[in-house]
Amino acid sequence: MLSCQQLERYQAQGYLVLPGFKSAPELAALRARAAQIVEAFDVDAHRSIFSTTDQARRSADAAFLDSAEGIECFFEEEAFDAAGQLRQPKALSINKIGHAMHDLDPVFERFSRHAALAELAADLGLVDPQLWQSMYIFKQPGIGGEVKWHQDASFFDTTPPSVTAFWFALEDATLDNGCLWVQPGGHRGPLRERFVREAGNPGATDTLRMQALDPTPWPARSQAVPVPVAAGTLVCFHGLLPHCSAPNRSATSRHAYTLHATDGRGQYAEHNWLRRSAALPVRGFTARGGHEKL
Ligand code: FE2
């Protein structure tokens, strides 16, 4: 599906922008399903806050670990006031839904296990693709949280490195509402850190911490480029590509959906946070039960 030029660009830049990869009805179906999941979500029972700036808070969050095999909503960091009440309606308070919708929800599975995406993953070199994670990211108006510079390979450590990100714009992503920023060519640099899961005390939740690996600094502003894209665009990028996104202080949300796939030919590190039990084994693009791709 990719031309030689596109493949060369991906190899040189570490990312590729594919406008019009998803149709308006496909985007609408995913958005509607996400809205239903949020509607059914009980705020009081789950007050987990997703934060990339406070690893300790995330470490303590058992809901985060459980979401490896579930469908969990996480709040924006600024969602609550000092008294612990939501500052805005629930539907405008959720940072993201994660992390197994592609395996557990038929609408998400249809969007994710699509023949065109399977073909693209093969073109990018994923011979035995394994779809570990799905995230629906809201980047809510006004309070959409910043995502600091990182490399996705920190969270999906494999030998050799193989994790590939598929980032679907469900709405227009602009400079104002927090589009992606990347460092073109930065995927040829080292992995700077890795996110490590360790067993806690007996009976306690496992702990999570970021471990420094390489002192190479994150890109300077002059090395970074924004990737504003229209709804329906797929941005795919290499797991070592440094990327980030700014907070959303605009009045417009920036919904996106991401999938992360590794190549099963390599070794998936035991310290990776996202683990699957025998009840929900990691799969590729083949639908459950071994049927043809959806
Ligand atoms: Fe990322």
Side-chain angles (χ1 to χ4, degrees), residues 135 147-148 150-152 155 165 167 180 237 241 243-244 260:
M135 292 195 288
V147 178
K148 291 185 180 296
H150 67 281
Q151 295 159 296
D152 290 347
F155 301 91
W167 192 101
L180 277 175
F237 52 92
L241 184 77
H243 59 285
C244 65
H260 286 89

Side-chain angles (χ1 to χ4, degrees), residues 226-276:
V227 190
V229 294
T233 301
L234 168 58
V235 183
C236 44
F237 52 92
H238 191 284
L240 288 171
L241 184 77
H243 59 285
C244 65
S245 64
N248 181 9
R249 300 298 178 203
S250 80
T252 315
S253 58
R254 193 229 64 191
H255 292 196
Y257 176 63
T258 67
L259 284 167
H260 286 89
T262 63
D263 193 326
R265 293 176 303 168
Q267 180 103 21
Y268 186 79
E270 284 183 13
H271 60 251
N272 285 329
W273 83 269
L274 203 164
R275 299 170 189 174
R276 288 295 189 83

Side-chain angles (χ1 to χ4, degrees), residues 48-51 55 57-70 72 74 96 98-99 133 135 155 195 197 205 208 273-274:
S48 309
I49 298 170
F50 178 73
S51 166
Q55 298 294 354
R57 190 184 307 166
R58 185 160 56 169
S59 302
D61 194 346
F64 180 77
L65 291 173
D66 289 347
S67 71
E69 296 189 301
E72 187 73 39
F74 298 88
K96 69 170 184 178
H99 290 97
Q133 173 178 270
M135 292 195 288
F155 301 91
F195 195 55
R197 175 175 178 171
T205 305
L208 298 165
W273 83 269
L274 203 164

